[in-house]
Amino acid sequence: MAPALQGLLTIVIGISVCVGYFFGSNLLLDMLFPPRGPKAGRNTNIANLIRPWLFLFPALFALGLYLMYPVVETLRLSLTDRIPGGGYQWTGLSNYTQMFQEPKFWEAMGNNLLWLLVVPGMATIFGLLAAQLTDRIAWGSIAKSIIFMPMAISFVGAAVIWKLVYDARPEGQDQIGILNALVVWFGGTPETWLTLPFWNNFFLMVVLIWIQSGFAMVILSAALRGIPEETVEAAIIDGANPMQIFFKIKVPQIRSTIMVVWTTITVIVLKIFDIVFAMTNGQWGTQVLANYMYDKLFIARDWGVGSASAIVIMVLVLPILVWNVRNARREMS
Amino acid sequence: MGNVVLKDVSKTYGGTVNVLNDIDLQITAGELIVFVGPSGCGKSTLLRMIAGLEKITGGTLEIDGQRMNDVPPAQRGIAMVFQSYALYPHMTVRDNMAFALKLAKKSKEEINEAVEEAARKLQLTDYLDRLPKALSGGQRQRVAIGRSIVRDPKIYLFDEPLSNLDAALRVATRIEIARLKEEMPDRTMIYVTHDQVEAMTLADRIVVLANKGIAQVGSPLELYERPQNEMVATFIGSPAMNLLPGKITGTGAQTEISLDDGGKAVSHVQTEASDMGKTVNIGVRPEHLEATDGEGLFTGRVDITEALGEVTLLYFETVGTDPALIAKLPGVHKDRRGQKVTMTAAPEHVHVFHEGQSLLYR
């Protein structure tokens, strides 16, 4: 069978099963507790208690299988070691102690912290700036589309684009990377930017800021639009200048949205992998936790330490995620 | 001080959509002036132009003799109260009221004093440290008024300030505004509303806006007793004035009109011999109609009665005249339903309009 046909068949079967499940299970419920006869009222109440779970079940099942199970399994793997030739043995926390003694792990922790300090803040600030500045101009929506566009590019694609921006050719040759081209044009000497220790981290961060600013802008722009126009007019009459209106009237009113944007980007930053993997693969002092995990799991084939680092990432992300969800809920209510 | 002069003021959106035209108006310091009019007549736009929130596209606005067209709102000596209160949701009541003074770099003591004073006036002292969301609608509107008071402006602008309140609160807040005005006799207040009860009770003078211009300016009773045109006649007073078409058949100190539906009317309005035969509409307010056994303005079958206790509204079956004629009789008259009744009115209550304009004014 042609692969396309196979795909189509899969889709058709998948959708039919979904529709069949919801239809069939509800039909069955109504047959077990018919909403008629002498016990109609009691049956309706029972059926109404059960019905939400019929709808929730597929999602809960999928989340359990693809989210909860891997978490438990990763935790188990992080506490075991593979025995050469087959099988595994419990090793307690030795994977963790081994990991904590590796300088590369602490380099990754340090870099992740650096990313955490710079990227969410910068992306939120640029997003807020873009949202405010594009709000009142005629070509604002075009500007917004352009700023939002990097969101549509995959992280790896963006990494490749920026790798070309930072590209370096030997001195004397034509520079195809725009950064070096500019440096040379201004009379400097070309630099291999991605190997500059410490600073190369920031060159990688630029890529994520470039992508996430668009996301921040879209969310914050909607929030800015939601501010009642009268509060701004009242501030104008009270004598506030545009800067004061922005910082004292507008920003405080969208503070919770700003926090949601900031935490969302924070979570993305903690998991950052693709950009580092595609641009430096963690060399020259740019290692981050997710790439460290990948190195351990799939290059060194060390299940134990790899899983341990995965758990570390999860533990770091979890509190921020909880806080983010709470914020988002408060925003909605 | 607080004199406001509008000269040929007009407003055009995007160079083509004209909403207000050649508005001429003089407001003297200390007046409480109310802009009323049907929705979309531009009354809020006019207020916002005085505030400086809308650009004036034609004519001039002067406050105390100074041209204000291009002066920023904060320097016009005005304060504004919005329909939606427009409180800063992230600031406490105290900070809401202090905001303008803080921006003006007033000293801490001065700000505190002004805020406490305004809070006392508006009974908000106990709520100073609350956020707006913890206040009721009436309290929020009082904070909005307090925010204006602390700035001690020459001119207060109110944009439908009571529209978001429920009926009981509306009356209470209305009285509060009237009291506030009495405490500040030298301050000018300009008040926009679509509620004619607010207009009638609060205003020194009412400006009725319609058809992109001013239909009439005058004291509430002047507008009620001597409306300049059919628009004002039907807009002021509730239910609206009845209009009946006819022809002038007698002129002089009193005018006689024979109505198209057969009735005869006598009006106190003076007319000249040249007015003879002119087609006119006579206007009679529902409360001025009374039942008669003799000749009247019209005879009609009562279609519906609404007994309100103190008065009863009679809605007459329409025979071509649209909307229905309405009479407001004192007392309870439920038994009138279905009856044929002849109505008449005293000459001093009969208005005469020719081509929409009252013959009283010429």
Side-chain angles (χ1 to χ4, degrees):
Chain A
M1 212 188 306
L5 211 61
Q6 249 174 345
L8 200 67
L9 198 65
T10 313
I11 292 173
V12 169
I13 292 173
I15 293 176
S16 318
V17 168
C18 281
V19 172
Y21 164 77
F22 286 116
F23 188 78
S25 62
N26 278 285
L27 201 68
L28 189 71
L29 188 69
D30 284 336
M31 272 161 63
L32 287 176
F33 301 101
R36 66 190 84 81
K39 288 181 180 170
R42 199 182 66 106
N43 280 352
T44 309
N45 285 342
I46 295 174
N48 281 348
L49 280 179
I50 297 173
R51 205 179 306 276
W53 295 102
L54 293 182
F55 286 90
L56 279 173
F57 172 75
L60 288 177
F61 177 75
L63 279 175
L65 183 65
Y66 295 112
L67 210 69
M68 288 315 292
Y69 166 69
V71 167
V72 174
E73 179 65 6
T74 305
L75 189 64
R76 187 186 67 83
L77 286 174
S78 76
L79 300 172
T80 60
D81 258 343
R82 189 155 36 172
I83 300 167
Y88 66 89
Q89 64 186 24
W90 289 94
T91 55
L93 293 173
S94 77
N95 285 323
Y96 289 91
T97 47
Q98 185 195 334
M99 182 172 71
F100 290 149
Q101 278 158 13
E102 272 187 41
K104 204 66 183 167
F105 170 77
W106 290 110
E107 177 195 314
M109 281 291 267
N111 284 339
N112 256 113
L113 188 70
L114 203 60
W115 278 73
L116 214 56
L117 287 176
V118 176
V119 177
M122 291 305 273
T124 308
I125 288 169
F126 281 130
L128 189 57
L129 213 62
Q132 169 69 12
L133 294 180
T134 55
D135 200 31
R136 289 289 171 86
I137 47 175
W139 50 281
S141 55
I142 297 172
K144 266 186 205 164
S145 312
I146 293 170
I147 295 170
F148 185 66
M149 231 173 266
M151 273 294 280
I153 303 172
S154 72
F155 282 13
V156 175
V160 170
I161 293 172
W162 282 87
K163 226 175 158 175
L164 290 170
V165 170
Y166 298 136
D167 187 87
R169 294 287 151 105
E171 220 177 328
Q173 284 188 25
D174 284 341
Q175 296 296 334
I176 65 154
I178 189 154
L179 194 57
N180 271 325
L182 282 173
V183 166
V184 171
W185 193 72
F186 279 114
T189 50
E191 190 75 62
T192 50
W193 304 104
L194 292 178
T195 62
L196 278 181
F198 184 66
W199 298 108
N200 51 8
N201 279 303
F202 294 96
F203 295 131
L204 298 188
M205 289 177 205
V206 166
V207 184
L208 192 56
I209 294 170
W210 179 66
I211 294 173
Q212 292 301 327
S213 292
F215 160 76
M217 177 197 67
V218 169
I219 308 283
L220 294 172
S221 173
L224 282 175
R225 291 259 165 102
I227 293 175
E229 187 60 25
E230 284 91 353
T231 60
V232 175
E233 291 179 340
I236 291 173
I237 288 180
D238 273 347
N241 63 35
M243 280 300 217
Q244 290 166 326
I245 289 173
F246 183 66
F247 285 110
K248 292 188 172 164
I249 303 296
K250 286 187 166 180
V251 168
Q253 287 193 62
I254 60 166
R255 183 191 269 141
S256 57
T257 309
I258 292 176
M259 289 322 293
V260 168
V261 168
W262 188 84
T263 47
T264 304
I265 300 176
T266 299
V267 171
I268 293 172
V269 165
L270 276 171
K271 299 186 300 182
I272 190 65
F273 166 72
D274 331 39
I275 292 171
V276 176
F277 179 75
M279 289 181 82
T280 62
N281 196 13
Q283 302 174 79
W284 309 297
T286 59
Q287 188 66 297
V288 290
L289 282 172
N291 197 55
Y292 174 84
M293 173 189 81
Y294 180 85
D295 275 357
K296 288 292 172 195
L297 271 176
F298 300 110
I299 310 295
R301 300 205 158 256
D302 186 342
W303 288 0
V305 174
S307 300
S309 60
I311 294 291
V312 167
I313 295 175
M314 196 189 76
V315 167
L316 290 175
V317 169
L318 215 53
I320 301 169
L321 207 60
V322 168
W323 193 50
N324 194 7
V325 169
R326 271 201 195 152
N327 250 333
R329 273 201 191 153
R330 202 178 321 138
E331 183 86 328
M332 271 184 277
S333 64
Chain B
M1 294 292 266
N3 296 299
V4 180
V5 178
L6 298 159
K7 282 183 194 154
D8 297 329
V9 167
S10 60
K11 176 73 189 177
T12 310
Y13 284 104
T16 48
V17 187
N18 183 245
V19 290
L20 285 169
N21 235 339
D22 296 335
I23 303 286
D24 276 299
L25 186 63
Q26 298 207 0
I27 302 168
T28 15
E31 244 187 322
L32 198 165
I33 200 147
V34 175
F35 294 170
V36 288
S39 54
C41 70
K43 52 191 189 291
S44 281
T45 307
L46 188 57
L47 189 79
R48 291 165 59 81
M49 287 201 286
I50 296 172
L53 293 172
E54 295 274 358
K55 206 171 163 43
I56 297 169
T57 51
T60 54
L61 162 72
E62 284 177 12
I63 295 177
D64 291 335
Q66 199 193 340
R67 189 175 186 275
M68 286 288 170
N69 289 39
D70 303 313
V71 175
Q75 282 147 42
R76 293 186 180 194
I78 54 123
M80 186 155 167
V81 176
F82 295 82
Q83 177 180 353
S84 60
Y85 323 132
L87 298 180
Y88 311 126
H90 55 290
M91 295 186 198
T92 61
V93 170
R94 183 188 299 278
D95 290 340
N96 260 286
M97 294 209 266
F99 187 65
L101 300 182
K102 277 183 193 161
L103 292 178
K105 303 232 154 55
K106 291 269 166 51
S107 74
K108 260 211 172 90
E109 298 78 48
E110 211 173 332
I111 294 174
N112 265 337
E113 200 175 311
V115 170
E116 303 274 344
E117 169 70 25
R120 202 169 324 125
K121 254 187 208 169
L122 297 162
Q123 293 115 49
L124 286 168
T125 312
D126 295 341
Y127 306 103
L128 277 176
D129 295 313
R130 288 205 197 172
L131 285 176
K133 66 178 175 206
L135 300 177
S136 69
Q139 289 165 338
R140 284 180 206 187
Q141 195 52 289
R142 291 217 298 276
V143 176
I145 294 170
R147 197 166 59 180
S148 305
I149 291 177
V150 292
R151 296 181 53 207
D152 193 25
K154 292 179 289 187
I155 300 159
Y156 288 81
L157 306 177
F158 293 91
D159 190 4
E160 309 214 13
L162 309 183
S163 300
N164 282 10
L165 304 178
D166 63 46
L169 216 52
R170 201 175 300 171
V171 175
T173 314
R174 192 177 78 208
I175 290 168
E176 205 150 338
I177 290 174
R179 192 171 299 146
L180 210 65
K181 179 71 196 74
E182 246 167 42
E183 282 175 28
M184 302 185 288
D186 56 334
R187 296 291 184 258
T188 308
M189 290 187 179
I190 306 176
Y191 190 107
V192 165
T193 181
H194 61 261
D195 181 326
Q196 49 159 306
V197 179
E198 275 170 39
M200 298 296 279
T201 51
L202 285 172
D204 293 323
R205 281 196 302 160
I206 295 176
V207 177
V208 183
L209 291 165
N211 302 325
K212 301 175 183 178
I214 294 177
Q216 189 174 359
V217 185
S219 73
L221 288 182
E222 199 178 332
L223 260 54
Y224 177 82
E225 285 164 358
R226 297 163 59 86
Q228 205 166 347
N229 44 53
E230 286 179 10
M231 196 276 132
V232 176
T234 49
F235 189 77
I236 301 288
S238 171
M241 183 185 279
N242 298 300
L243 292 176
L244 295 156
K247 270 193 178 57
I248 294 180
T249 50
T251 57
Q254 286 201 322
T255 305
E256 286 164 33
I257 301 111
S258 85
L259 300 172
D260 293 357
D261 285 338
K264 288 224 175 308
V266 180
S267 166
H268 72 300
V269 178
Q270 248 183 40
T271 42
E272 292 149 23
S274 60
D275 291 328
M276 201 67 169
K278 274 186 179 166
T279 37
V280 293
N281 275 338
I282 66 154
V284 185
R285 296 197 180 278
E287 53 270 40
H288 295 145
L289 284 171
E290 46 197 297
T292 174
D293 294 330
E295 246 193 2
L297 300 173
F298 66 93
T299 307
R301 185 182 297 280
V302 178
D303 192 15
I304 293 166
T305 60
E306 286 179 342
L308 304 176
E310 48 172 335
V311 292
T312 302
L313 297 181
L314 308 183
Y315 291 81
F316 290 91
E317 254 170 26
T318 49
V319 213
T321 43
D322 201 42
L325 297 169
I326 303 169
K328 193 195 253 180
L329 303 181
V332 179
H333 300 280
K334 277 188 171 169
D335 52 331
R336 294 279 192 185
R337 181 155 193 202
Q339 286 181 8
K340 256 193 160 162
V341 189
T342 301
M343 304 302 289
T344 186
E348 64 265 31
H349 292 314
V350 178
H351 306 261
V352 185
F353 302 100
H354 175 59
E355 287 169 351
Q357 297 298 312
S358 171
L359 294 182
L360 268 175
Y361 294 83
R362 41 182 195 171

